[in-house]
Amino acid sequence: MIDFKLGRTNDEFSQLQMRVVAPTREILDKTLEELVELGCYQAQIIDATLKPAPEDRVAPDDFYSTTNHRTYVRIGGAWVEVAKQRMDAIVVVRKEAAGTLAAPLAAPLAAPLAECRKLRDVKKGEMVVCGANGVRIQPEFKERDRLGFAFMANEISSERRAETAVRKIAEMMRQIKAEGGRIVFVAGPVVVHTGGTAAFCEIIRKGFVDTVLAGNAIAVHDIEHQLFGTSLGVDLETGVPIEEGHKNHMRAINVINRYGSIRGAVEAGVLRSGIMYELVRRNVPYVLAGSIRDDGPLPDTEMDLIKAQEEYARLLDGAKMVVCLSSMLHSIGAGNMTPSWVRMVCVDINPAVVTKLSDRGSQQTLGVVTDVGTFLNLLAQQLWV
């Protein structure tokens, strides 16, 4: 370490200057890449290394793999912010900018100079950032108290009072909507199983849900509940399985198939309540991403995985908050597409699910370990306070 200055207040940044020594160039390069991800950059600032993609869907072997933090690359002596920030992507630089930025371009560019791109979307000849030279990361720093959320950011525990966490989340949701921001919900079928449907519908009606990202199952069981009063064949009022109730989710799919879509069933007056009904009536966009285990699936379910991913990314773009409700795989998928400056909340009765989302790179996630139905009912109450 050469020099270290510790910031003692929210307004003071800590600064560290250090010398890195490694036995081989390969180890040194790997170490430097890991330090870049922490927000470090080399004292000797040089332009980013750009290499052409050798084939469609193929990047040079030493391509830079992105984090979800705000990223800048140095091109022609100037720092350029990377657009469409997300983790596990490559950075593609437009050929017009790859030469130099010293002189202004003849005309403004409609597309960004540099942007994150999924590996499958790279085209032969596009210029790809390689190595850690000329790359700067700006991690989101944790404030000592951000709207009272600091108490939640240290560890995930079922021993915290859910009411306290929900009150803080409701405060943030009201603030985001007051500022015109968008809130995205990622929801699993547990919302229905745990009795959270009515509360979630009320939250939708009050305008706090701008998009829902989910799988086939939540829609199937929500519709099953509205048409037949069961979820997974269990009467949600009594908690008792009904005779031949195991057929009800297939009967629900059959009804929707008869009308061609969920919207078709709503417009025909067959589906008159529930989560999907509220989304359709209020024109709240949703994506149902399919999987190999889906029954049916519903005609609204997108079974092309790449198209579903693209729709997720489109609807997450510009969101200010993402609330994940007991759906590990869909939550991780959404987290991978979400930059670190977007607040994420993950609610699950299983602490391991909440931890996994954070461990997968979405370190901005605030975890609430509680029953999802309980959480939604508390949230609905707090949003009206």
Side-chain angles (χ1 to χ4, degrees):
M1 183 172 66
I2 299 174
D3 187 35
F4 179 46
K5 296 179 181 178
L6 178 65
R8 301 184 182 280
T9 70
N10 282 342
D11 297 325
E12 294 181 4
F13 288 92
S14 297
Q15 295 181 331
L16 170 66
Q17 186 178 9
M18 61 182 176
R19 181 179 292 107
V20 181
V21 180
T24 66
R25 183 71 200 185
E26 181 180 0
I27 294 176
L28 179 61
D29 289 342
K30 179 175 175 53
T31 303
L32 291 176
E33 285 189 19
E34 292 178 353
L35 289 172
V36 165
E37 293 181 3
L38 297 175
C40 300
Y41 57 91
Q42 297 184 46
Q44 182 182 1
I45 300 175
I46 60 177
D47 281 358
T49 301
L50 304 177
K51 297 180 182 179
E55 303 288 344
D56 288 356
R57 303 167 62 94
V58 178
D61 289 340
D62 58 343
F63 67 88
Y64 173 76
S65 183
T66 63
T67 69
N68 60 349
H69 297 308
R70 203 177 301 273
T71 302
Y72 299 84
V73 293
R74 193 169 178 85
I75 305 169
W79 288 104
V80 174
E81 183 172 358
V82 177
K84 302 180 181 179
Q85 191 61 54
R86 57 168 297 157
M87 68 175 73
D88 300 330
I90 62 175
V91 177
V92 171
V93 175
R94 290 196 62 173
K95 288 186 177 180
E96 296 93 322
T100 178
L101 288 182
L105 296 169
L109 296 174
L113 296 175
E115 68 177 17
C116 289
R117 189 86 60 80
K118 293 288 291 182
L119 191 58
R120 65 173 179 246
D121 295 327
V122 69
K123 303 298 182 183
K124 180 178 179 179
E126 289 188 314
M127 303 306 292
V128 177
V129 174
C130 297
N133 289 330
V135 178
R136 181 177 291 183
I137 303 297
Q138 183 179 308
E140 289 294 295
F141 70 94
K142 292 182 179 179
E143 299 177 19
R144 287 167 172 81
D145 189 12
R146 182 184 294 176
L147 288 179
F149 267 69
F151 80 102
M152 295 175 61
N154 296 324
E155 63 182 46
I156 295 165
S157 171
S158 59
E159 297 179 358
R160 290 198 181 94
R161 282 178 57 84
E163 292 86 348
T164 305
V166 171
R167 185 173 65 252
K168 299 299 182 182
I169 292 168
E171 289 176 11
M172 179 169 283
M173 290 177 65
R174 283 195 294 267
Q175 177 180 325
I176 288 172
K177 296 309 297 180
E179 296 171 352
R182 293 175 55 248
I183 301 174
V184 174
F185 277 76
V186 182
V190 175
V191 170
V192 180
H193 305 332
T194 57
T197 297
F200 196 28
C201 288
E202 185 66 14
I203 294 169
I204 295 170
R205 284 193 290 269
K206 294 295 185 180
F208 286 96
V209 180
D210 294 286
T211 293
V212 172
L213 307 178
N216 181 68
I218 186 173
V220 169
H221 294 297
D222 171 61
I223 295 166
E224 174 196 349
H225 179 216
Q226 305 313 313
L227 296 181
F228 307 111
T230 63
S231 180
L232 289 174
V234 175
D235 188 317
L236 290 184
E237 295 298 321
T238 64
V240 177
I242 69 169
E243 185 176 356
E244 295 192 341
H246 64 283
K247 297 180 180 179
N248 283 353
H249 75 287
M250 295 302 295
R251 294 170 65 196
I253 295 170
N254 193 50
V255 169
I256 301 303
N257 285 346
R258 182 175 297 122
Y259 293 94
S261 66
I262 296 172
R263 179 173 290 277
V266 171
E267 292 175 348
V270 174
L271 185 61
R272 302 176 182 179
S273 61
I275 296 168
M276 303 312 298
Y277 168 85
E278 297 294 348
L279 296 177
V280 169
R281 287 297 301 272
R282 283 156 181 77
N283 291 314
V284 175
Y286 61 86
V287 179
L288 304 178
S291 74
I292 197 170
R293 66 183 182 274
D294 289 336
D295 289 322
L298 290 165
D300 301 69
T301 301
E302 179 55 74
M303 297 305 292
D304 185 320
L305 177 61
I306 292 178
K307 288 183 179 179
Q309 286 182 338
E310 289 173 349
E311 278 299 287
Y312 265 41
R314 183 180 69 83
L315 291 174
L316 284 164
D317 186 30
K320 297 299 182 184
M321 187 177 192
V322 180
V323 182
C324 302
L325 304 173
S326 196
S327 178
M328 181 173 70
L329 295 181
H330 290 275
S331 297
I332 291 173
N336 288 351
M337 305 175 191
T338 305
S340 63
W341 55 88
V342 177
R343 177 62 69 198
M344 292 196 74
V345 175
C346 182
V347 184
D348 204 291
I349 197 67
N350 184 354
V353 173
V354 184
T355 302
K356 192 172 184 65
L357 181 58
S358 180
D359 289 346
R360 290 277 300 184
S362 301
Q363 298 175 355
Q364 77 272 29
T365 303
L366 304 175
V368 182
V369 180
T370 190
D371 173 83
V372 168
T374 299
F375 171 84
L376 286 170
N377 280 283
L378 290 171
L379 181 60
Q381 293 171 20
Q382 287 295 329
L383 284 172
W384 321 149
V385 172

